[in-house]
Amino acid sequence: MKSFLSRWKHAWILSYGFIYLPWFLYLERTVTRNYHIIHTRLDDLIPFNEYFIIPYLLWFPYVAGMIMFFFFKNKQDYYRMCTLLFTGMTISLVICTFYRNGTDMRPVVDPGRNVFAWLVSRLHAADTPTNIFPSVHVFNSVVVHIAVARSSCFKNRPWVVRLSFILALSVCLSTVFLKQHSVVDGIGSMIMCYALYPLVYGESYIAGRRRITGKALS
């Protein structure tokens, strides 16, 4: 037992879930009116598309799966990714606590149209249109892809990095095509990620990208 606990002691950081989930659920229960609507003209130019529910839902196994992969395969990548993820998620909760926000863009969806519309209707029933800025879906997707792109685990598997990029991009697009978020939410998430990146990785995002690209070409 002592050996087991010593080997997997880095699991302690996952206890962050006991902070995030109660806080998030509290906001979902209490931010129900008198919140600021985030809506831009660009949002109106983006059509609703229920098929984007697929990448939107794939976000859950994408994030959880990569956390578990690095948990078992690379402790340094695991700590860095979790630190960046959980820092951004905490900032998002703080923002939503003091800046009550939401969206008014959700369309009326006929669940009988197809299975994708039914899934969207289930999403609407489970998730309120509040606490959207910055988008955790976008932030976490970008962070996970950064971790995948930086990791030595995939240096000989460029196809994994490409698939990760496609999935992360699809998730980001799904937030606006499903009308779950405004483009403002996504932009805010990317700015937050760009600002937090050097605090975790010890270099600017641009410098890190150049170094990784250089290694891939060498």
Side-chain angles (χ1 to χ4, degrees), residues 40-155:
T40 69
R41 290 184 180 181
L42 181 56
D43 295 318
D44 296 329
L45 298 177
I46 301 173
F48 170 79
N49 189 316
E50 69 265 27
Y51 297 106
F52 274 93
I53 190 65
I54 298 174
Y56 190 88
L57 295 179
L58 284 176
W59 173 83
F60 294 95
Y62 177 51
V63 175
M66 293 315 303
I67 288 177
M68 296 313 298
F69 175 85
F70 288 125
F71 176 86
F72 291 109
K73 293 293 185 179
N74 191 310
K75 191 183 298 186
Q76 183 181 48
D77 288 339
Y78 163 80
Y79 269 124
R80 284 178 170 175
M81 184 174 72
C82 287
T83 299
L84 190 52
L85 281 173
F86 300 160
T87 301
M89 291 164 69
T90 301
I91 292 174
S92 177
L93 289 174
V94 171
I95 290 174
C96 291
T97 299
F98 295 99
Y99 168 52
R100 298 159 63 97
N101 60 81
T103 181
D104 61 353
M105 297 182 295
R106 287 184 175 182
V108 176
V109 178
D110 177 12
R113 184 166 60 196
N114 53 50
V115 65
F116 306 103
W118 179 82
L119 287 171
V120 173
S121 70
R122 294 298 86 207
L123 173 64
H124 288 177
D127 185 29
T128 71
T130 58
N131 309 308
I132 62 171
F133 179 86
S135 168
V136 172
H137 251 68
V138 171
F139 179 80
N140 285 6
S141 298
V142 173
V143 170
V144 170
H145 176 66
I146 287 173
V148 171
R150 287 185 56 101
S151 178
S152 60
C153 295
F154 305 113
K155 64 180 180 180

